[in-house]
Amino acid sequence: MAVRDAKINSCDMGLSRERFLGNLTTTYGASPANQDRLMNMSAKVTEGAPETVAAPRRARGALVAIGGAEDKTNEIGILRTVLALTEKPDPVVGVVTTASSIPDDVFAAYDAAFRIIGAADVLDVRVRDRRGANAPQVIEMIKRVDVLFISGGDQMRLTHVFGGSAALDAIRRRHETGMVIAGTSAGAACQSSTMVYGGPADDSLRKGAVKMSAGFGFIDGVIIDTHFLERGRFSRLMEVGATNPEYLGVGLGEDAAAQFDGGLIRVFGPGHVIVVDSSEISGSNVYDLAEGEAVAVSGVKMHALVDGYGYSLTDRRVLEPDELEAHGLEPRIANT
């Protein structure tokens, strides 16, 4: 294991230079290369400085998109994982049902599910209009929760109600300081900067057939579609890719979830996540067409991922479970 570059003050650790470097040698090994790095690092250690401990910056919270129809009554596997991502013994969950036309029923289902799997409390973050999205009591609930869960329904209702609001600002601030954001169906589609909100599943490979608008921007560079296999929405993300090959299409099947973790996608749940990569398409006629005409596109890559698999957003490749697990160990080793 290579020693990473760092600016280190032994007094911050409350250790002598010798003991501090001894600990590093134990942690990283005594290979010649590592010893050279350790000697360079030792030159940066300041002896006799006042003892100060910098407050650690709390990490950004997890972001999870779910394809819809996740299990809420049996194993409750996906929601259980979402709750575990808080790393708290008694997490508080807030459920946003703004997208739904039946918010009472939807909240009742998630209230029961999250309590079964160990939530200390489940708050009904009931926001039905833009006035509610700026209400002080809503902001206070957002400040309190460890998980903000956004239900399904109509994603355009979500962006209309929350766009430019005090509540959305509070959600973004809390996410930066550790709050988990998870959403299903419409609550997943709204997470990207550009959001799919419509288009026929059976004939979307036509210019302009897929309807897109601005989303919440929790994740950049991807377009999320939901109920992907069950509603046959492959052509929707192919049309998006032909229009702008830079965007990675993420098609979430039902009872399947994708965690966006820095430059990685981590897949969990019993369903499929389909990745549609148009970055290396060899050609398309989309720019020559009138609205509604059939799109030709070649060279699209598709990957079907299941629980335990991942995908690298930086170099556009599938990560099998062993490699994905190794990525998960790196931050822990760095903080040892």
Side-chain angles (χ1 to χ4, degrees):
M1 182 186 306
V3 179
R4 301 184 177 189
D5 291 326
K7 293 182 179 179
I8 300 169
N9 187 325
S10 65
C11 295
D12 288 347
M13 303 296 292
L15 302 175
S16 68
R17 177 197 293 244
E18 292 76 13
R19 185 177 172 193
F20 179 66
L21 293 177
N23 286 353
L24 283 176
T25 301
T26 301
T27 301
Y28 291 107
S31 70
N34 279 350
Q35 287 298 302
D36 288 341
R37 300 285 293 280
L38 290 171
M39 291 300 294
N40 290 335
M41 292 163 70
S42 71
K44 301 176 184 178
V45 177
T46 304
E47 293 184 341
E51 291 195 9
T52 58
V53 179
R57 183 182 183 277
R58 191 170 182 184
R60 190 183 194 197
L63 178 65
V64 177
I66 305 166
E70 67 284 352
D71 173 22
K72 294 182 280 293
T73 58
N74 296 312
E75 295 183 6
I76 321 180
I78 287 177
L79 299 184
R80 197 181 296 274
T81 299
V82 167
L83 208 61
L85 287 170
T86 67
E87 298 183 350
K88 293 192 172 184
D90 301 301
V92 175
V93 178
V95 178
V96 175
T97 56
T98 305
S100 176
S101 61
I102 49 171
D104 291 335
D105 294 342
V106 170
F107 176 75
Y110 285 109
D111 182 36
F114 278 116
R115 290 183 188 279
I116 287 170
I117 59 178
D121 199 2
V122 182
L123 308 184
D124 186 351
V125 187
R126 187 67 62 99
V127 179
R128 303 306 296 170
D129 53 32
R130 292 188 57 79
R131 182 178 178 181
N134 290 285
Q137 63 268 30
V138 169
I139 311 306
E140 289 305 311
M141 282 193 284
I142 292 168
K143 290 179 180 179
R144 182 184 168 197
V145 301
D146 303 302
V147 176
L148 191 75
F149 188 88
I150 308 172
S151 79
D154 181 351
Q155 53 264 48
M156 282 292 282
R157 183 175 176 84
L158 278 168
T159 54
H160 165 72
V161 169
F162 281 95
S165 70
L168 185 56
D169 286 344
I171 290 167
R172 288 173 174 149
R173 287 194 301 270
R174 284 286 293 113
H175 188 216
E176 288 297 324
T177 58
M179 182 183 75
V180 174
I181 297 176
T184 186
S185 190
C190 70
Q191 294 180 11
S192 53
S193 295
T194 302
M195 173 185 80
V196 171
Y197 72 89
D202 57 349
D203 195 18
S204 283
L205 203 50
R206 294 182 177 274
K207 186 172 182 177
V210 180
K211 308 301 180 185
M212 291 183 286
S213 182
F216 289 152
F218 301 145
I219 176 72
D220 293 321
V222 304
I223 299 284
I224 300 169
D225 208 350
T226 59
H227 306 279
F228 195 68
L229 286 86
E230 293 76 10
R231 300 184 187 178
R233 290 176 168 173
F234 285 83
S235 62
R236 300 212 310 189
L237 290 186
M238 290 181 70
E239 198 267 353
V240 170
T243 304
N244 190 339
E246 181 180 13
Y247 283 101
L248 184 76
V250 180
L252 303 170
E254 293 181 357
D255 209 13
Q259 178 190 354
F260 297 99
D261 182 10
L264 301 176
I265 297 174
R266 300 178 182 274
V267 175
F268 60 96
H272 284 84
V273 172
I274 308 298
V275 173
V276 182
D277 179 6
S278 301
S279 63
E280 297 180 5
I281 60 173
S282 53
S284 175
N285 65 344
V286 68
Y287 47 84
D288 287 328
L289 301 177
E291 289 289 307
E293 291 188 319
V295 173
V297 58
S298 57
V300 177
K301 296 179 183 177
M302 290 193 185
H303 310 283
L305 310 180
V306 297
D307 186 272
Y309 280 73
Y311 189 83
S312 170
L313 295 169
T314 54
D315 53 7
R316 299 272 178 129
R317 65 186 183 88
V318 173
L319 305 175
E320 295 192 359
D322 288 349
E323 186 175 4
L324 184 65
E325 185 177 0
H327 276 280
L329 290 173
E330 287 176 357
R332 291 179 235 166
I333 293 170
N335 292 321
T336 300

Short mmCIF file of all heavy atoms in Angstrom, two decimals, residues 60 130 132-135 138-140 142-143 148 158-159 161-177 179 181 216 218:
data_model
loop_
_atom_site.label_atom_id
_atom_site.label_comp_id
_atom_site.label_asym_id
_atom_site.label_seq_id
_atom_site.Cartn_x
_atom_site.Cartn_y
_atom_site.Cartn_z
N ARG A 60 -20.43 14.49 2.92
CA ARG A 60 -21.71 14.64 2.26
C ARG A 60 -22.52 13.36 2.43
O ARG A 60 -21.98 12.25 2.42
CB ARG A 60 -21.48 14.91 0.78
CG ARG A 60 -22.73 15.32 0.02
CD ARG A 60 -22.42 15.49 -1.46
NE ARG A 60 -23.49 16.19 -2.13
CZ ARG A 60 -23.65 16.20 -3.44
NH1 ARG A 60 -22.80 15.54 -4.20
NH2 ARG A 60 -24.65 16.87 -3.98
N ARG A 130 -46.11 25.88 -3.15
CA ARG A 130 -44.89 26.65 -2.98
C ARG A 130 -44.87 27.40 -1.65
O ARG A 130 -43.79 27.63 -1.07
CB ARG A 130 -44.70 27.61 -4.16
CG ARG A 130 -44.39 26.86 -5.47
CD ARG A 130 -44.02 27.80 -6.59
NE ARG A 130 -42.89 28.66 -6.28
CZ ARG A 130 -41.61 28.28 -6.32
NH1 ARG A 130 -41.30 27.02 -6.65
NH2 ARG A 130 -40.66 29.14 -6.04
N GLY A 132 -45.95 26.19 1.14
CA GLY A 132 -45.47 25.19 2.08
C GLY A 132 -43.97 24.95 1.98
O GLY A 132 -43.31 24.65 2.98
N ALA A 133 -43.42 25.08 0.76
CA ALA A 133 -41.99 24.85 0.56
C ALA A 133 -41.14 25.96 1.17
O ALA A 133 -39.91 25.84 1.20
CB ALA A 133 -41.69 24.72 -0.93
N ASN A 134 -41.77 27.02 1.64
CA ASN A 134 -41.05 28.10 2.31
C ASN A 134 -41.46 28.26 3.77
O ASN A 134 -41.05 29.22 4.42
CB ASN A 134 -41.27 29.41 1.55
CG ASN A 134 -40.57 29.43 0.21
OD1 ASN A 134 -39.36 29.58 0.13
ND2 ASN A 134 -41.33 29.27 -0.86
N ALA A 135 -42.25 27.31 4.26
CA ALA A 135 -42.76 27.40 5.63
C ALA A 135 -41.66 27.07 6.64
O ALA A 135 -40.92 26.09 6.48
CB ALA A 135 -43.93 26.45 5.81
N VAL A 138 -41.44 23.43 7.95
CA VAL A 138 -40.87 22.47 7.01
C VAL A 138 -39.34 22.51 7.07
O VAL A 138 -38.67 21.47 7.08
CB VAL A 138 -41.37 22.75 5.58
CG1 VAL A 138 -40.58 21.93 4.55
CG2 VAL A 138 -42.86 22.44 5.47
N ILE A 139 -38.78 23.71 7.12
CA ILE A 139 -37.33 23.86 7.22
C ILE A 139 -36.81 23.20 8.50
O ILE A 139 -35.78 22.52 8.49
CB ILE A 139 -36.92 25.35 7.19
CG1 ILE A 139 -37.58 26.09 6.03
CG2 ILE A 139 -35.40 25.47 7.14
CD1 ILE A 139 -37.36 25.47 4.69
N GLU A 140 -37.53 23.35 9.58
CA GLU A 140 -37.10 22.74 10.84
C GLU A 140 -37.12 21.22 10.77
O GLU A 140 -36.24 20.56 11.32
CB GLU A 140 -37.99 23.24 11.99
CG GLU A 140 -37.76 24.70 12.36
CD GLU A 140 -36.31 24.98 12.70
OE1 GLU A 140 -35.72 24.22 13.49
OE2 GLU A 140 -35.75 25.96 12.15
N ILE A 142 -36.64 19.44 8.05
CA ILE A 142 -35.51 19.06 7.20
C ILE A 142 -34.21 19.10 8.01
O ILE A 142 -33.34 18.22 7.86
CB ILE A 142 -35.43 19.98 5.97
CG1 ILE A 142 -36.63 19.72 5.04
CG2 ILE A 142 -34.11 19.78 5.20
CD1 ILE A 142 -36.82 20.75 3.96
N LYS A 143 -34.08 20.08 8.88
CA LYS A 143 -32.87 20.17 9.72
C LYS A 143 -32.77 19.00 10.69
O LYS A 143 -31.66 18.62 11.09
CB LYS A 143 -32.89 21.48 10.51
CG LYS A 143 -32.68 22.73 9.65
CD LYS A 143 -32.74 23.97 10.52
CE LYS A 143 -32.53 25.24 9.71
NZ LYS A 143 -32.62 26.46 10.54
N LEU A 148 -33.89 11.96 4.14
CA LEU A 148 -35.04 12.57 3.48
C LEU A 148 -35.44 11.66 2.33
O LEU A 148 -34.66 11.48 1.39
CB LEU A 148 -34.71 13.97 2.96
CG LEU A 148 -35.95 14.75 2.50
CD1 LEU A 148 -36.74 15.24 3.70
CD2 LEU A 148 -35.57 15.91 1.61
N LEU A 158 -42.91 17.98 -8.22
CA LEU A 158 -41.81 18.17 -7.28
C LEU A 158 -40.99 19.40 -7.63
O LEU A 158 -40.72 20.25 -6.77
CB LEU A 158 -40.90 16.94 -7.28
CG LEU A 158 -41.33 15.74 -6.44
CD1 LEU A 158 -40.49 14.53 -6.78
CD2 LEU A 158 -41.21 16.06 -4.95
N THR A 159 -40.56 19.49 -8.89
CA THR A 159 -39.70 20.61 -9.26
C THR A 159 -40.46 21.94 -9.23
O THR A 159 -39.90 22.98 -8.89
CB THR A 159 -39.06 20.38 -10.63
OG1 THR A 159 -40.08 20.12 -11.61
CG2 THR A 159 -38.09 19.21 -10.58
N VAL A 161 -42.98 22.74 -7.18
CA VAL A 161 -43.24 23.15 -5.80
C VAL A 161 -41.94 23.55 -5.09
O VAL A 161 -41.90 24.56 -4.37
CB VAL A 161 -43.96 22.02 -5.03
CG1 VAL A 161 -44.00 22.32 -3.53
CG2 VAL A 161 -45.37 21.83 -5.57
N PHE A 162 -40.86 22.79 -5.29
CA PHE A 162 -39.64 23.02 -4.53
C PHE A 162 -38.63 23.94 -5.21
O PHE A 162 -37.75 24.49 -4.54
CB PHE A 162 -38.95 21.68 -4.21
CG PHE A 162 -39.56 20.93 -3.07
CD1 PHE A 162 -40.51 19.94 -3.31
CD2 PHE A 162 -39.21 21.21 -1.77
CE1 PHE A 162 -41.09 19.23 -2.26
CE2 PHE A 162 -39.78 20.52 -0.71
CZ PHE A 162 -40.73 19.53 -0.95
N GLY A 163 -38.71 24.10 -6.53
CA GLY A 163 -37.71 24.88 -7.23
C GLY A 163 -37.56 26.29 -6.67
O GLY A 163 -38.53 27.02 -6.53
N GLY A 164 -36.33 26.69 -6.34
CA GLY A 164 -36.07 28.03 -5.82
C GLY A 164 -36.60 28.31 -4.44
O GLY A 164 -36.67 29.46 -4.02
N SER A 165 -36.95 27.27 -3.69
CA SER A 165 -37.58 27.46 -2.38
C SER A 165 -36.57 27.38 -1.24
O SER A 165 -35.45 26.86 -1.39
CB SER A 165 -38.66 26.39 -2.14
OG SER A 165 -38.06 25.12 -1.97
N ALA A 166 -37.00 27.85 -0.08
CA ALA A 166 -36.17 27.73 1.12
C ALA A 166 -35.99 26.27 1.51
O ALA A 166 -34.93 25.88 2.02
CB ALA A 166 -36.81 28.51 2.27
N ALA A 167 -37.01 25.45 1.25
CA ALA A 167 -36.90 24.03 1.59
C ALA A 167 -35.82 23.35 0.75
O ALA A 167 -35.03 22.55 1.28
CB ALA A 167 -38.24 23.34 1.38
N LEU A 168 -35.76 23.63 -0.55
CA LEU A 168 -34.75 23.01 -1.39
C LEU A 168 -33.36 23.48 -0.97
O LEU A 168 -32.41 22.69 -0.94
CB LEU A 168 -35.00 23.31 -2.86
CG LEU A 168 -34.07 22.62 -3.86
CD1 LEU A 168 -34.08 21.12 -3.68
CD2 LEU A 168 -34.44 23.00 -5.29
N ASP A 169 -33.21 24.74 -0.63
CA ASP A 169 -31.93 25.22 -0.11
C ASP A 169 -31.54 24.46 1.15
O ASP A 169 -30.38 24.08 1.32
CB ASP A 169 -32.01 26.72 0.20
CG ASP A 169 -32.03 27.59 -1.05
OD1 ASP A 169 -31.67 27.08 -2.13
OD2 ASP A 169 -32.41 28.76 -0.93
N ALA A 170 -32.49 24.24 2.04
CA ALA A 170 -32.21 23.52 3.29
C ALA A 170 -31.83 22.07 3.00
O ALA A 170 -30.94 21.51 3.66
CB ALA A 170 -33.43 23.59 4.21
N ILE A 171 -32.50 21.45 2.04
CA ILE A 171 -32.18 20.07 1.67
C ILE A 171 -30.74 19.99 1.16
O ILE A 171 -29.98 19.09 1.56
CB ILE A 171 -33.17 19.57 0.59
CG1 ILE A 171 -34.55 19.38 1.20
CG2 ILE A 171 -32.68 18.27 -0.04
CD1 ILE A 171 -35.66 19.19 0.17
N ARG A 172 -30.36 20.91 0.32
CA ARG A 172 -28.99 20.89 -0.21
C ARG A 172 -27.96 21.11 0.89
O ARG A 172 -26.92 20.44 0.91
CB ARG A 172 -28.85 21.95 -1.31
CG ARG A 172 -29.58 21.58 -2.60
CD ARG A 172 -29.57 22.72 -3.60
NE ARG A 172 -30.15 22.29 -4.87
CZ ARG A 172 -30.80 23.09 -5.70
NH1 ARG A 172 -30.97 24.38 -5.37
NH2 ARG A 172 -31.29 22.63 -6.83
N ARG A 173 -28.24 22.03 1.79
CA ARG A 173 -27.30 22.27 2.89
C ARG A 173 -27.16 21.05 3.78
O ARG A 173 -26.05 20.67 4.18
CB ARG A 173 -27.74 23.48 3.72
CG ARG A 173 -27.52 24.82 3.03
CD ARG A 173 -27.66 25.98 4.03
NE ARG A 173 -28.97 26.01 4.68
CZ ARG A 173 -30.01 26.68 4.21
NH1 ARG A 173 -29.90 27.36 3.08
NH2 ARG A 173 -31.16 26.69 4.86
N ARG A 174 -28.30 20.43 4.13
CA ARG A 174 -28.25 19.24 5.00
C ARG A 174 -27.57 18.06 4.30
O ARG A 174 -26.86 17.28 4.94
CB ARG A 174 -29.67 18.86 5.42
CG ARG A 174 -30.24 19.75 6.48
CD ARG A 174 -29.60 19.48 7.85
NE ARG A 174 -29.97 18.16 8.34
CZ ARG A 174 -29.13 17.14 8.49
NH1 ARG A 174 -27.84 17.27 8.21
NH2 ARG A 174 -29.56 15.98 8.94
N HIS A 175 -27.77 17.94 3.00
CA HIS A 175 -27.10 16.87 2.26
C HIS A 175 -25.59 17.05 2.31
O HIS A 175 -24.83 16.07 2.47
CB HIS A 175 -27.59 16.88 0.81
CG HIS A 175 -27.11 15.71 0.01
ND1 HIS A 175 -26.77 15.80 -1.31
CD2 HIS A 175 -26.90 14.42 0.35
CE1 HIS A 175 -26.39 14.63 -1.76
NE2 HIS A 175 -26.45 13.77 -0.78
N GLU A 176 -25.12 18.28 2.21
CA GLU A 176 -23.68 18.53 2.26
C GLU A 176 -23.09 18.21 3.62
O GLU A 176 -21.89 17.97 3.73
CB GLU A 176 -23.40 20.00 1.91
CG GLU A 176 -23.60 20.33 0.44
CD GLU A 176 -22.66 19.56 -0.48
OE1 GLU A 176 -21.50 19.33 -0.07
OE2 GLU A 176 -23.09 19.19 -1.59
N THR A 177 -23.90 18.19 4.65
CA THR A 177 -23.39 17.92 6.00
C THR A 177 -23.83 16.56 6.55
O THR A 177 -23.77 16.35 7.75
CB THR A 177 -23.82 19.03 6.97
OG1 THR A 177 -25.24 19.14 6.98
CG2 THR A 177 -23.21 20.37 6.56
N MET A 179 -26.87 14.46 5.62
CA MET A 179 -28.20 13.87 5.46
C MET A 179 -28.28 13.00 4.21
O MET A 179 -27.85 13.40 3.14
CB MET A 179 -29.26 14.98 5.37
CG MET A 179 -30.69 14.46 5.26
SD MET A 179 -31.90 15.80 5.06
CE MET A 179 -31.60 16.26 3.33
N ILE A 181 -30.17 11.45 1.14
CA ILE A 181 -31.32 11.70 0.28
C ILE A 181 -31.60 10.43 -0.51
O ILE A 181 -30.70 9.86 -1.14
CB ILE A 181 -31.08 12.86 -0.69
CG1 ILE A 181 -30.87 14.17 0.07
CG2 ILE A 181 -32.24 13.00 -1.67
CD1 ILE A 181 -30.54 15.35 -0.83
N PHE A 216 -33.35 18.66 -9.70
CA PHE A 216 -32.81 19.28 -8.50
C PHE A 216 -31.28 19.40 -8.51
O PHE A 216 -30.71 20.12 -7.70
CB PHE A 216 -33.24 18.50 -7.26
CG PHE A 216 -34.69 18.65 -6.91
CD1 PHE A 216 -35.36 17.62 -6.24
CD2 PHE A 216 -35.40 19.79 -7.24
CE1 PHE A 216 -36.71 17.76 -5.90
CE2 PHE A 216 -36.73 19.94 -6.92
CZ PHE A 216 -37.40 18.91 -6.25
N PHE A 218 -28.89 17.16 -7.73
CA PHE A 218 -28.10 16.46 -6.71
C PHE A 218 -26.96 15.67 -7.34
O PHE A 218 -25.97 15.37 -6.68
CB PHE A 218 -28.98 15.51 -5.90
CG PHE A 218 -30.12 16.16 -5.18
CD1 PHE A 218 -31.34 15.51 -5.03
CD2 PHE A 218 -30.00 17.43 -4.64
CE1 PHE A 218 -32.40 16.09 -4.37
CE2 PHE A 218 -31.06 18.04 -3.97
CZ PHE A 218 -32.26 17.37 -3.84
#
